[in-house]
């Protein structure tokens, strides 16, 4: 069973602060995805990282995939109240029969206080 | 272009009852996956349907079953409901049996009393 550990579980910060969320596993993934989920809605894909060591930037969000493709981080610069939500990482691995399966972490619940 | 839609949005059942949840995939998508998200947890994979067949399954009991129709829409059925089945049930659609992005619906919130 592949497990993804996310930390911290909860994070409450002031507007303008920086933060980093971590996603760790002992398993190797073919890719790792980050989602953001708001209450009452399904997760929305933010980014997919595929190559070990890859860094992707999405405005104030920076995503990094570890060299060994077992871990990832999400860094938010100058957080804004609109960044509030549940951030989920999900590792993708081949599960046979030509299909891939997503394994999700438990998520990091971020609150940005104005 | 309609995204993934799910019905109903909310549902209340009692223990022992049966429930059917429905999902319509994003236009052009032919693969549907179902996830269970308990409160405070990340989504857990239940199963995936492609070409009207269950292609893979997560660690869920046989009480959880599904179906995919020729128009690619899908149903999730849960029999003999338990209190622990209370959760948000998410449907995600994607294209083909390749490594493609999954798009999630808003979910159905099931409460079992």
């Amino acid at each position: 069973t592949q497990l993804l550990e996310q930390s911290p579980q909860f994070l409450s910060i002031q507007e303008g602060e920086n933060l980093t969320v971590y996603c760790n596993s002992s398993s190797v993934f073919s890719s790792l995805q980050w989602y953001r989920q708001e209450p009452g809605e399904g997760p929305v894909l933010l980014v997919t990282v595929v190559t070990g060591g890859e860094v992707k930037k999405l405005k104030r969000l920076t995503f990094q995939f570890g060299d060994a493709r077992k871990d990832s981080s999400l860094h938010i610069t100058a957080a804004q109240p609109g960044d509030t939500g549940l951030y989920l990482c999900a590792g993708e691995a081949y599960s046979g029969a030509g299909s891939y399966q997503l394994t999700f972490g438990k998520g990091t619940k971020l609150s940005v206080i104005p | 272009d309609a995204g993934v839609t799910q019905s109903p949005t909310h549902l209340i059942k009692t223990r022992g009852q049966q429930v059917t949840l429905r999902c319509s995939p994003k236009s052009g998508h032919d693969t549907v996956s179902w996830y269970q998200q308990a409160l405070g947890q990340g989504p857990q994979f239940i199963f995936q349907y492609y070409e009207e067949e269950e292609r893979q399954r997560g660690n869920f009991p046989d009480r959880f079953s599904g179906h995919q129709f020729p128009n690619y829409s899908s149903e999730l059925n849960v029999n003999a409901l338990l209190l622990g089945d209370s959760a948000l049930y998410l449907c995600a659609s994607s294209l083909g049996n390749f490594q493609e992005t999954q798009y999630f619906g808003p979910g159905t919130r099931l409460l079992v009393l």
Side-chain angles (χ1 to χ4, degrees):
Chain A
T1 303
Q2 297 167 322
L3 292 174
L4 276 169
E5 301 283 342
Q6 277 190 249
S7 61
Q9 191 175 353
F10 299 96
L11 193 53
S12 182
I13 62 171
Q14 294 289 327
E15 181 177 359
E17 292 183 349
N18 301 333
L19 67 113
T20 302
V21 175
Y22 299 94
C23 178
N24 296 295
S25 175
S26 58
S27 302
V28 176
F29 294 102
S30 57
S31 70
L32 200 134
Q33 302 175 2
W34 284 92
Y35 292 80
R36 181 166 153 234
Q37 185 177 21
E38 299 195 41
E41 298 181 11
V44 175
L45 181 66
L46 296 174
V47 77
T48 300
V49 284
V50 178
T51 306
E54 182 177 3
V55 177
K56 280 192 175 178
K57 291 193 175 185
L58 187 65
K59 296 184 180 178
R60 293 176 294 99
L61 279 61
T62 302
F63 305 85
Q64 185 162 8
F65 202 11
D67 291 342
R69 307 210 317 273
K70 294 182 179 181
D71 54 83
S72 181
S73 64
L74 158 61
H75 182 79
I76 301 179
T77 304
Q80 299 177 1
D83 295 328
T84 294
L86 179 68
Y87 289 83
L88 294 158
C89 68
E92 189 166 40
Y94 186 68
S95 56
S99 60
Y100 289 79
Q101 191 172 124
L102 274 183
T103 300
F104 281 85
K106 290 186 178 182
T108 293
K109 193 168 185 179
L110 172 64
S111 296
V112 181
I113 303 165
Chain B
D1 179 22
V4 180
T5 59
Q6 292 186 242
S7 63
T9 55
H10 296 83
L11 203 51
I12 300 176
K13 292 285 188 178
T14 56
R15 280 179 297 175
Q17 284 189 313
Q18 179 265 343
V19 69
T20 298
L21 311 181
R22 296 176 177 80
C23 171
S24 291
K26 183 178 169 65
S27 178
H29 286 183
D30 57 7
T31 301
V32 173
S33 302
W34 286 92
Y35 294 81
Q36 180 195 65
Q37 186 176 21
L39 201 61
Q41 303 292 318
Q44 284 201 323
F45 175 73
I46 303 175
F47 42 54
Q48 183 181 78
Y49 277 84
Y50 172 71
E51 292 187 340
E52 301 180 50
E53 290 189 0
E54 182 182 293
R55 180 161 61 182
Q56 55 175 322
R57 188 180 183 94
N59 190 25
F60 278 80
D62 292 343
R63 297 187 298 109
F64 289 77
S65 63
H67 188 78
Q68 186 178 34
F69 298 93
N71 66 353
Y72 308 121
S73 67
S74 177
E75 287 182 350
L76 163 65
N77 301 293
V78 186
N79 295 322
L81 284 167
L82 304 173
L83 296 180
D85 295 331
S86 296
L88 179 68
Y89 288 85
L90 295 162
C91 166
S93 74
S94 56
L95 178 62
N97 59 347
F98 304 107
Q99 197 176 357
E100 294 289 341
T101 299
Q102 294 190 52
Y103 292 82
F104 284 82
T108 293
R109 174 73 64 185
L110 172 65
L111 178 61
V112 182
L113 301 175

